[in-house]
Amino acid sequence: MPFQTWMCLICGWVYDEAAGLPDEGLAPGTRWADVPMNWTCPECGARKDDFEMTAI
């Protein structure tokens, strides 16, 4: 399955599964399903529930 991107509906910040977020402890290739439920958007603090899969 190809990597996907997820966008914060509050501020527009994008999480790219292929890139991950190493500064937040998410290695490149970390799938959205594997991101912890208590993770929050690094830009605005929104919850994981406030993200939606987007095609870029």
Side-chain angles (χ1 to χ4, degrees):
M1 182 169 156
F3 288 115
Q4 297 176 315
T5 54
W6 295 80
M7 185 175 76
C8 178
L9 298 175
I10 308 298
C11 73
W13 185 84
V14 173
Y15 174 73
D16 181 349
E17 291 178 336
L21 195 59
D23 291 348
E24 300 263 333
L26 302 174
T30 300
R31 298 286 184 179
W32 186 246
D34 298 325
V35 172
M37 281 308 296
N38 63 351
W39 180 84
T40 57
C41 177
E43 289 293 314
C44 72
R47 298 181 328 256
K48 190 176 169 185
D49 291 348
D50 293 320
F51 279 71
E52 195 169 87
M53 202 280 288
T54 56
I56 294 181

